[in-house]
């Protein structure tokens, strides 16, 4: 949508340790990024660092940018640009900081701040997996096109973003979340406790009590691959548990939004150990009190990274249907279907595309 746009937007990758400033034109960075310490415990210093960082980026540009747009940890009132609440990585923001208005005054530019999960989903919908899938469907001769997308990020938490009819849904309170859904295995615990980096480590250690205390998910992946000493079966079970609990949360979200799903984040490097249980969970069934079986997700769920499954997804169950009382026919496809894919562009790039596209879409809508 904005891939070939010539306008420039300033961006920021806001981490608790470092702030990385850049500028985008189209979907590409056009300057050398500037990395500065976050100074997250000192509000005055942190805000001055943001001013310094964006100023240094603007000094590299030959023309004025049209906006500033980036993701920032919540809780927040993103629409108003106000950050506040319990932010472990930015403790000085807990009492509430009008970050958007502050930057708007400093640079005389519109400022758009969003949750990283939201921008991830929007980036995938605008310049990532969604256009790729729709293009592929067109080339295969399918009449089906998709407009709804859920973006999930697997990492230190279970992040989500939601795009409905091509529009980012930020909700009434900037609070579209699934991390706090019930955990399938422990119903009084949140889903994120089973679908985050810490869950993989915890599950492996539970299965292998004498495991080293400093294992990382990548270590456990290497154990699963047989490239590191350890219990290969336990490592694979740890990833499968993650997939089961994440799949349960995703199934609920898909049921409520009728969306395709894209997954990003570092943990997707272990997708071959996560996806089977995730898809099994989405394809599982429940029952009525009368004993009838009901599919957990009311659409057929396809693995969109599997070429054979994608072909079935594209084909559906199309057939000609005669129009009653005439010789005319119409094409009817009764198969309701959805699918899950792993990101192609990567979560970081998708977030940047989302930030860039969101800013321009807001500007263009005025």
């Amino acid at each position: 949508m904005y891939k070939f746009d010539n306008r420039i937007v300033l961006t920021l990758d806001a981490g608790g340790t470092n702030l990385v400033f850049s500028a985008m034109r189209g979907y590409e960075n056009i300057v050398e990024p500037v990395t500065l310490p976050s100074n997250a415990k000192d509000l005055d210093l942190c805000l001055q660092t943001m001013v310094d960082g964006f100023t240094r980026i603007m000094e590299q540009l030959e023309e004025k940018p049209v906006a500033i747009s980036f993701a920032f940890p919540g809780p927040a009132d993103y629409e108003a640009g106000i950050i506040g609440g319990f932010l472990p990585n930015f403790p000085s923001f807990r009492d509430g900081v009008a970050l958007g208005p502050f930057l708007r005054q400093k640079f005389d530019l519109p400022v758009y701040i969003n949750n990283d999960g939201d921008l991830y989903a929007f980036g995938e919908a605008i310049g990532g997996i969604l256009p790729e899938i729709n293009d592929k469907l067109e080339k295969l001769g399918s009449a089906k096109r998709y407009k709804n997308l859920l973006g999930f990020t697997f990492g230190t938490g279970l992040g989500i973003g939601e795009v409905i009819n091509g529009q980012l849904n930020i909700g009434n309170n900037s609070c579209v979340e699934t991390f706090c859904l019930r955990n399938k295995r422990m119903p009084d615990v949140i889903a994120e406790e089973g679908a985050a980096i810490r869950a993989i480590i915890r599950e492996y250690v539970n299965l292998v009590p004498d495991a080293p205390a400093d294992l990382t998910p990548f270590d456990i992946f290497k154990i699963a691959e047989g490239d590191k000493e350890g219990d290969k079966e336990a490592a694979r079970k740890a990833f499968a548990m993650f997939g089961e609990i994440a799949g349960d949360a995703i199934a609920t979200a898909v049921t409520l939004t009728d969306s395709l799903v894209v997954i990003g984040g570092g943990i997707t490097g272990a997708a071959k150990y996560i996806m089977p249980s995730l898809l099994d969970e989405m394809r599982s069934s429940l029952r009525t009190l009368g004993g009838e079986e009901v599919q957990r997700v009311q659409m057929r769920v396809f693995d969109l990274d599997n070429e054979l499954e994608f072909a079935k997804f594209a084909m559906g169950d199309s057939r000609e249907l005669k129009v009653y009382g005439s010789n005319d026919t119409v094409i009817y496809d009764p198969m309701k279907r959805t699918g899950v894919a792993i990101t192609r562009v990567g979560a970081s790039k998708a977030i940047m595309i989302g930030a860039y596209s969101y800013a321009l879409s807001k500007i263009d809508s005025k």
Side-chain angles (χ1 to χ4, degrees), residues 287-293:
R287 63 177 179 83
T288 67
L289 289 176
E292 296 175 290
E293 189 174 277

Side-chain angles (χ1 to χ4, degrees), residues 135-173:
D135 287 347
K136 197 170 178 181
L137 289 172
E138 183 177 7
K139 289 175 183 175
L140 290 173
S142 172
K144 195 80 171 173
R145 299 293 183 272
Y146 288 85
K147 298 175 292 184
N148 293 359
L149 182 71
L150 292 174
F152 282 88
T153 52
F154 291 171
T156 54
L158 179 63
I160 183 177
E162 182 179 304
V163 175
I164 304 296
N165 292 325
Q167 300 296 313
L168 179 63
N169 176 28
I170 61 174
N172 291 322
N173 300 283

Side-chain angles (χ1 to χ4, degrees), residues 18 38 72 74 82 136 140 149 151 164 180 212 217 265 271 277 288 297 304 310 313-316 325 328 344 358 365:
N18 291 315
S38 298
F72 204 86
I82 298 172
K136 197 170 178 181
L140 290 173
L149 182 71
I164 304 296
C180 50
S277 58
T288 67
V297 174
L304 301 180
F310 194 97
F313 170 79
M315 182 181 300
D328 294 339
R344 310 282 196 270
Y358 183 80
S365 67

